[in-house]
Amino acid sequence: MMRSWLAGVLAVLLAGCGGSNSYTGPSGDIPFDPLRPTPGEPAVVSPYTGSDPLVLEAQSRLSTGADLQRKVVLRTCGPTNGVCHNQKEYPDLHTAGTFAAAINAPCNVQAGSYEGVYDRCERLGDRFKFKEQSFREIEIGWYAVVLGAYVEYPDNSVPPSDAAGFHLHLREPVPLAQGRAHWGTGTFIRNFINAQGNVEALSFASYNTRWWVLDDGRHLFGEVHDYQRDAVDALLSVGILQGDQNRNGVFGAREGKAVPLLNPGKPEESYLVARMRGHMQGEPIPGSRMPLANQPPSIPDMLALMCFIEGLDPNAAQWNLSSAIDYARCSYIANPQALSLVGTGVTWRGRVQPILQSSCGGCHGGASPQGGLDLLSANAWTRLRQASAQNANLKLIDSGRPETSYLWLKLSGDGSILGGRMPVDPLNGTRTLPPEQLADIEAWILAGALEDG
Ligand code: HEC
């Protein structure tokens, strides 16, 4: 009964939507194309039928983009989601919606510090010109406000390059004399798309003050008198785009190599992947590696991420997280092992030993090392293979297993340890290593805690 009723409705719907390609009405032919895309319908994907257990695990546990977000991305966000949306340094990925929005989105996430911005995440800067001068607009590299009491510099002086006030660094020198002040209205210009769909340059902010040309002519200093502070606050609040946000002289977007967070079809040029690996195509990425202190992604996790990105259609306007990830046609199934993040680049001599020496050696070294543990000695690596003094059941380092490595438990503040979390801060009794150092030590243990390599 129910079935035939449904079948009837479907038949009516199908008759109404599909079928003929044109409708012939009483007044002649009306061209009409009824074949519309059906939004939200997952693409049909043939499953992987090979025998690689890593691919099979990925396919069964992480079959869609939504699984990937929920089981991998969200997990790496940390217990309180802190990494994913409390810290400015990371893109917000804690919901399926924000994850989908990361596809093709600029990677210029608000950085904790300017050095953390990657050149290929820089956007085109706004442009600057003096209203009163005829020379052309120049792209803005970066700006900074140096705080401090107002100092009146004479008109014919050269203020120091760190003078309190507004500093603007441009891509090219301005053709104005150095060594004297120029009264002028600095205007900030950006391209907008107007209602007609045309690009239009608009000056969206300005600052009228005395300016000096410093250094090589690309550095402008605008004085900020007490009565001008509000004007500068207003200027900063509009959000001037800086073409060289990390201040290293490279204007990332100019080079035409800007990359999005998730680059549809191009996992190797996705900023998110690069941040997990610590490099993009061999070039180091500034900032700490993601995810921080949590479980590093496994090979199937990485396979899901890479195959998901590779399968995204670069020409689509939006992407559906409920579509199946196409493992069968994914190029990464040829060598999933190569996707392992564990231990990449972390060596005992290159990374772990220097951390232990500098953060721990003050107490764990010398004639009577604390806790009976000498981390400065030439035998430190051998010593770490042995049992802990505090818990004779555990080795200090158990190759491949952070969870049974007593040194790791002391560093991560595990509830089972005796004494305090390491390193002890003599001032307030507690301190932790920075998350990227913890992540590297954990990765080194997971990769076998080798002495070299
Ligand atoms: C300010 C001094 C101080 C610093 C710095 C310090 N420790 Fe300790 N460490 C101690 C003291 C004191 C003990 C013994 C008491 C305790 O465990 O709280 C100890 C104990 C340990 C133990 C237990 C030894 C065993 O065999 O069971 C380990 C492991 C350890 N520290 C590792 C580290 C590491 C790794 C660092 C650096 C990241 C570090 N410590 C930095 C003072 C320090």
Side-chain angles (χ1 to χ4, degrees), residues 50 93 103 109 138 200 316 382:
L93 300 173
I103 301 170
V109 287
I138 301 176
E200 200 177 344
T382 314

Side-chain angles (χ1 to χ4, degrees), residues 1-19:
M1 169 64 193
M2 186 65 183
R3 236 174 122 204
S4 63
W5 173 82
L6 195 63
V9 172
L10 281 176
V12 171
L13 283 175
L14 288 172
C17 306

Side-chain angles (χ1 to χ4, degrees), residues 36 46 48 51 74 81 86 102 116 139 177 179 222 299 331 339 348 365 449:
R36 303 243 157 72
S46 328
Y48 168 78
S51 60
L74 196 55
N81 281 342
N86 289 340
E139 184 174 348
I299 292 174
S331 63
L339 295 177
W348 165 252

Side-chain angles (χ1 to χ4, degrees), residues 7-363:
V9 172
L10 281 176
V12 171
L13 283 175
L14 288 172
C17 306
S20 78
N21 275 336
S22 66
Y23 167 77
T24 310
S27 53
D29 284 349
I30 299 172
F32 159 67
D33 176 11
L35 296 173
R36 303 243 157 72
T38 37
E41 191 178 300
V44 180
V45 162
S46 328
Y48 168 78
T49 52
S51 60
D52 187 326
L54 293 166
V55 185
L56 291 171
E57 185 198 326
Q59 180 164 267
S60 74
R61 190 165 52 85
L62 303 164
S63 70
T64 65
D67 290 336
L68 175 67
Q69 193 277 331
R70 199 160 41 84
K71 299 181 189 167
V72 178
V73 177
L74 196 55
R75 186 192 78 218
T76 61
C77 292
T80 58
N81 281 342
V83 174
C84 292
H85 71 157
N86 289 340
Q87 293 192 353
K88 301 182 286 180
E89 206 194 328
Y90 297 93
D92 180 349
L93 300 173
H94 76 288
T95 67
T98 52
F99 184 59
I103 301 170
N104 236 350
C107 60
N108 196 341
V109 287
Q110 171 79 59
S113 64
Y114 66 83
E115 299 97 330
V117 174
Y118 179 44
D119 284 331
R120 297 184 67 181
C121 290
E122 286 173 344
R123 303 202 215 169
L124 283 183
D126 289 326
R127 303 183 303 277
F128 178 86
K129 101 181 267 309
F130 284 112
K131 202 170 157 200
E132 301 78 5
Q133 304 281 348
S134 58
F135 65 83
R136 64 191 180 82
E137 304 162 2
I138 301 176
E139 184 174 348
I140 294 165
W142 53 278
Y143 65 84
V145 173
V146 176
L147 299 174
Y150 171 73
V151 177
E152 172 141 20
Y153 297 103
D155 267 344
N156 58 351
S157 67
V158 181
S161 49
D162 60 351
F166 183 71
H167 292 260
L168 192 63
H169 294 261
L170 302 173
R171 190 156 177 267
E172 286 153 39
V174 294
L176 288 181
Q178 305 196 20
R180 68 178 181 85
H182 303 267
W183 257 109
T185 310
T187 50
F188 297 81
I189 298 149
R190 185 179 302 172
N191 286 348
F192 291 88
I193 310 254
N194 65 19
Q196 286 73 45
N198 300 322
V199 178
E200 200 177 344
L202 286 181
S203 67
F204 63 94
S206 63
Y207 181 49
N208 183 256
T209 195
R210 277 199 306 165
W211 299 86
W212 281 265
V213 181
L214 303 181
D215 302 334
D216 56 1
R218 295 186 299 166
H219 179 173
L220 296 178
F221 166 63
E223 85 174 346
V224 183
H225 221 293
D226 292 343
Y227 71 86
Q228 292 171 302
R229 286 177 187 237
D230 287 350
V232 170
D233 283 346
L235 180 66
L236 301 188
S237 69
V238 299
I240 299 165
L241 289 179
Q242 308 172 84
D244 180 18
Q245 203 178 357
N246 61 17
R247 311 182 183 181
N248 69 356
V250 176
F251 284 62
R254 286 262 152 233
E255 320 265 302
K257 294 197 302 184
V259 290
L261 279 166
L262 296 177
N263 200 345
K266 293 185 182 164
E268 298 296 330
E269 288 176 57
S270 294
Y271 180 65
L272 193 74
V273 172
R275 275 302 286 271
M276 300 172 92
R277 290 173 159 174
H279 58 85
M280 181 180 291
Q281 295 168 335
E283 199 182 311
I285 299 275
S288 50
R289 274 171 63 186
M290 296 191 287
L292 301 177
N294 303 292
Q295 233 178 313
S298 66
I299 292 174
D301 291 347
M302 285 306 289
L303 195 60
L305 178 64
M306 303 306 266
C307 294
F308 170 72
I309 300 174
E310 194 177 70
L312 293 170
D313 175 2
N315 300 316
Q318 57 187 46
W319 295 270
N320 192 332
L321 292 193
S322 59
S323 305
I325 297 174
D326 191 347
Y327 289 99
R329 290 191 299 161
C330 172
S331 63
Y332 292 91
I333 64 171
N335 184 11
Q337 296 285 353
L339 295 177
S340 171
L341 289 184
V342 165
T344 38
V346 184
T347 61
W348 165 252
R349 277 185 230 290
R351 180 75 173 139
V352 178
Q353 190 177 32
I355 295 173
L356 298 183
Q357 287 175 340
S358 65
S359 299
C360 324
C363 299

Side-chain angles (χ1 to χ4, degrees), residues 355-364 369-375 383-384 386-392 394-396 405-411 417-427 429 431-433 437-438 441:
I355 295 173
L356 298 183
Q357 287 175 340
S358 65
S359 299
C360 324
C363 299
H364 293 284
Q370 299 283 4
L373 177 61
D374 186 350
L375 292 169
R383 170 69 184 89
L384 292 177
Q386 294 156 6
S388 140
Q390 289 179 352
N391 182 345
L394 295 181
K395 289 182 190 170
L396 286 165
S405 297
Y406 194 70
L407 180 130
W408 172 253
L409 300 179
K410 289 286 271 185
L411 286 175
I417 56 171
L418 290 175
R421 181 172 182 176
M422 293 290 134
V424 175
D425 184 336
L427 292 178
R431 188 162 70 89
T432 61
L433 289 179
Q437 295 190 2
L438 281 173
I441 294 174

